Every structure is written in structure tokens, then in C-alpha cells.
Amino acid sequence: MDWYPLWNSLHIALISCAAVFFLGIFAAYYIAKLPRVLKGVLDVVLTLPMVLPPTVVGYFLLLLFGAKRPLGIFFMEHFGVKLVMNWYSAIFASIVVAFPLMYRTARGAFESFDETLAWSAQTLGLSNTWIFWRVRMPCCRQGILAGTVLAFARALGEYGATSMIAGYTPGKTATIATTVYQLWRTNDEAGAMQWVLVDIAISAVVLLAVNLLERRQKQGGKRT
């Protein structure tokens, strides 16, 4: 059994999750402070990929990164890098579809934060950066961790946008999701079932992690 789709999927999901972690926290922290109307507009824009069909997301990514598009042409001419139909092309798709989960979860955590803790720290002369990492983030860690796990799971299971922007090439761009489809399409149901079972096992672990985090968050709320 060729395990490349598993390692490639984990590789893509980990890189995407790391990017989404910082992007989601940054967006959630600053957007939570904006006026209601502006915050509502940005919410719609940033969470739209969560409700759009993945193929539509993939189509927009092709319009942005395609080989005949300005951005694609620029990277090809100046760096010799093709932004589509490579393994790292799937990272773009995974970031876009996983970002809304991280953003919404982190924003909810930040909005539930007791601002009196930050004000108290400010009276002691502590910087906003210190307060953010040493006060706000620890208090919101359960929500942040839950968002991170969900974003990782979404990136790991991405298919629609990935198939459009990265395609399927065994040993180069294949992921678990695209491999299952290709094996089914070629009537290799036994091979497809093997990868389905692998995906189910990984998904079960992720869901157990989310449930554990939610349980700890509820227990922490009861203690306070």
C-alpha cells in the first residue's frame, strides 16, 4: 500500500493549520474590536468559504493562481514557480476552507474574555503584547485549541477545491480524499475502502480531541 497520500495529506494539513492558526487569531482579535456594521461585513466575507461549495472555492483559486492569470504568470516568470497542479497548491485550498472555522471559534473565545483582566494588567504598566500572550491567550486557550483542531480536520479532509487546483498525480499531489475518489472511479473498491478506513480513524481521533477540549472548557467554566 502506497502511504504517500497519508503523508502528503498530513503535510498539507499541518502547514495549513499553522498558517490558519495565526491568521485566524489575528483576524479574530482585531475584527472583534470593530464597529458592528463593519464587523458584520467582514464576517460575511471571511466566512463565505465555509458555506460555498468547495468546487466554487477551487474555481476562484484557479482564477487567482492559474497559469494564465496575472499572479500565476508573475510567479512563473520571476521565480519559475507554478502555483497550480503541485502538492503545495493544495495548501492554498486548505487554508481558504479551514480559515473560517479557526476565525469564528477564536472570535467567540475572544468575545467571551473578561476585559477587566486586561485592564487590570494595563494598570500595572504591562504592554498589550504581553497581555495578549500571557493573559488573553491562556484564558481563551480551550476555544483556540478547539478551533485549531477543527481547522486541521477540515484541511485534512479537503477534496473539492484541492482536486481543482492541485489535481491528482500519484506520488506528487495525491491526498487521501483525491485517492479515494480515483480508486473508486477506477473500480478499485478494496483500495478505496482501505483509505476510507484510514480517514475514519483519523477523523475519530480528531472528534475525540474536540470533545475532550469542550469538556475541559465546561469544567473550567463551572470552577470559575
Side-chain angles (χ1 to χ4, degrees), residues 149-177:
V149 173
L150 288 172
F152 174 80
R154 183 66 184 86
L156 186 65
E158 164 54 31
Y159 170 74
T162 297
S163 64
M164 292 189 68
I165 194 172
Y168 172 79
T169 304
K172 292 184 178 180
T173 67
T175 63
I176 294 176

